[in-house]
Amino acid sequence: MSAVQALKAARDAGVRIGVDGDSLTLDADSAPDATVLDLLSRHKAGVLALLRTGSDGWSGEDWLAFFDERAAIAEFDGGLPRASAEVHAFDCCVVEWLNRNPARSPPAHCLGCGGSDHAYDKLLPFGTEPTGHAWLHSRCWPAWHAARKATAIAALMAMGIDLPRMHR
Ligand SMILES: [Zn+2]
């Protein structure tokens, strides 16, 4: 059973769940049964990740909904097999995460190597955010971007958006 299923089981049992710091708050009209409480305590970290709103304004549940929507569009409108539709949906989540967690830096230093702008070694603005850009040497960009993508994937996986789990 996953955190998503534990959360659903608790809600189906009439338990209203909230987040207070690192704790789950439970509220129900009648005492929930021990199985539900046990499930929630075993999946506490995962349930917290689903319910907690991240700094980008989305909770794990929002990301799951986005993933499911993208996968459904790719599968039913795009005609992709389910496994490919999920790979596509995961890529969409990574792009969306990068957009929602933009990197900005002052134009004085390279975000990759920390070096400065020289006539022979220009810093270039990357990103299309209206609020600003990340400044890097062009040679520093690929490694920096790969690290950003890895951060996005780790953040998504911590919220339960995880391809291996989807294929299990
Ligand atoms: Zn650099």
Side-chain angles (χ1 to χ4, degrees):
M1 174 162 300
S2 68
V4 175
Q5 291 163 314
L7 183 58
K8 183 174 185 314
R11 283 175 174 163
D12 289 349
V15 183
R16 294 178 291 277
I17 305 159
V19 173
D20 181 14
D22 285 331
S23 310
L24 293 173
T25 60
L26 306 182
D27 184 22
D29 297 328
S30 55
D33 83 45
T35 337
V36 165
L37 296 179
D38 180 54
L39 268 179
L40 284 176
S41 87
R42 271 193 288 138
H43 292 282
K44 184 183 160 193
V47 172
L48 275 170
L50 282 170
L51 295 178
R52 188 180 277 148
T53 304
S55 55
D56 57 18
W58 275 14
S59 67
E61 285 195 301
D62 293 325
W63 283 107
L64 269 182
F66 182 79
F67 177 93
D68 287 342
E69 180 195 283
R70 292 293 137 160
I73 291 171
E75 185 178 11
F76 299 112
D77 299 346
L80 287 182
R82 183 68 196 176
S84 311
E86 290 188 351
V87 169
H88 170 77
F90 191 80
D91 288 342
C92 291
C93 286
V94 170
V95 169
E96 183 67 19
W97 192 94
L98 291 171
N99 286 338
R100 297 184 75 89
N101 294 270
R104 292 180 208 104
S105 67
H109 294 285
C110 172
L111 258 190
C113 69
S116 48
D117 189 29
H118 298 289
Y120 57 88
D121 196 12
K122 280 277 184 213
L123 288 176
L124 301 171
F126 288 91
T128 53
E129 301 85 38
T131 43
H133 300 283
W135 292 82
L136 290 113
H137 298 117
S138 59
R139 69 185 139 76
C140 295
W141 184 83
W144 175 81
H145 186 69
R148 285 259 298 152
K149 251 183 107 166
T151 304
I153 290 169
L156 290 166
M157 287 181 64
M159 288 184 292
I161 319 273
D162 156 15
L163 276 178
R165 183 181 65 75
M166 301 291 177
H167 285 289
R168 229 175 268 152

